[in-house]
Amino acid sequence: MPKDKIALLEKVGLFRACSRKELEYIARITDEVRVEAGRVLAAKDQPGHEFFLIVDGSAIVQIDDGIQLGPGDFFGEMALLDGGPRLASVVAETDMTLIVLGHREFASLIGEVPTISRAIMKVLAQRLRDAESGHTH
Ligand code: CMP
């Protein structure tokens, strides 16, 4: 397992509580991807096949005035969790480095690593709360 991939994963907040063994597992099932500013990473109303974690750079979720996501944030979980279409478009605001998981790998990750499932559920609850109160971040 390349050491630099593990080092990259350790930078991502979602994986902070993971054991070495879990990190090695995650490194095996994820891809590191670099994209340029302007790339559409998720398209509203389209089916979604990937889950994204931001390592570097920022993206805008195109809801209201736009919700900025940065290093440590993730997106694309909703379409994968319920099989529905993308809730919003997400566009790279800057050049970005991302950790990307396909549908099957995402399902496997949340099945195998309970700390990550809980962290994702916590963020979903916060996003619902923010949407309900009219705040966007
Ligand atoms: P998905 O619907 O798969 O694709 C668009 C993504 O935008 C969605 O998953 C979430 O990850 C993200 N998203 C949707 N609503 C919000 C929000 N209110 N705050 C932050 N991110 C959001």
Side-chain angles (χ1 to χ4, degrees), residues 37-42 58-62 89-94 96:
R39 170 81 75 88
V40 178
L41 299 162
S58 59
I60 302 290
V61 182
Q62 294 182 331
S89 292
V90 184
V91 180
E93 185 184 29
T94 63
M96 301 180 77

Side-chain angles (χ1 to χ4, degrees), residues 22-58:
E22 286 170 336
L23 284 176
E24 282 172 6
Y25 163 73
I26 294 162
R28 275 200 299 278
I29 64 165
T30 55
D31 288 320
E32 180 191 342
V33 174
R34 293 199 167 82
V35 300
E36 291 187 356
R39 170 81 75 88
V40 178
L41 299 162
K44 183 174 160 59
D45 297 330
Q46 297 300 307
H49 304 291
E50 288 156 319
F51 170 76
F52 302 88
L53 272 156
I54 303 176
V55 178
D56 275 317
S58 59

Side-chain angles (χ1 to χ4, degrees), residues 13-120:
L14 187 62
F15 300 140
R16 205 150 286 153
C18 289
S19 66
R20 182 82 197 175
K21 214 174 142 198
E22 286 170 336
L23 284 176
E24 282 172 6
Y25 163 73
I26 294 162
R28 275 200 299 278
I29 64 165
T30 55
D31 288 320
E32 180 191 342
V33 174
R34 293 199 167 82
V35 300
E36 291 187 356
R39 170 81 75 88
V40 178
L41 299 162
K44 183 174 160 59
D45 297 330
Q46 297 300 307
H49 304 291
E50 288 156 319
F51 170 76
F52 302 88
L53 272 156
I54 303 176
V55 178
D56 275 317
S58 59
I60 302 290
V61 182
Q62 294 182 331
I63 294 178
D64 299 329
D65 292 338
I67 301 167
Q68 189 186 49
L69 302 178
D73 291 331
F74 60 78
F75 58 93
E77 76 292 346
M78 296 181 71
L80 295 196
L81 285 170
D82 72 355
R86 296 292 196 198
L87 183 80
S89 292
V90 184
V91 180
E93 185 184 29
T94 63
D95 292 354
M96 301 180 77
T97 304
L98 297 147
I99 301 282
V100 182
L101 282 95
H103 200 173
R104 187 174 309 172
E105 290 73 23
F106 178 70
S108 149
L109 180 72
I110 58 176
E112 298 291 327
V113 191
T115 49
I116 292 184
S117 303
R118 275 196 292 275
I120 291 173

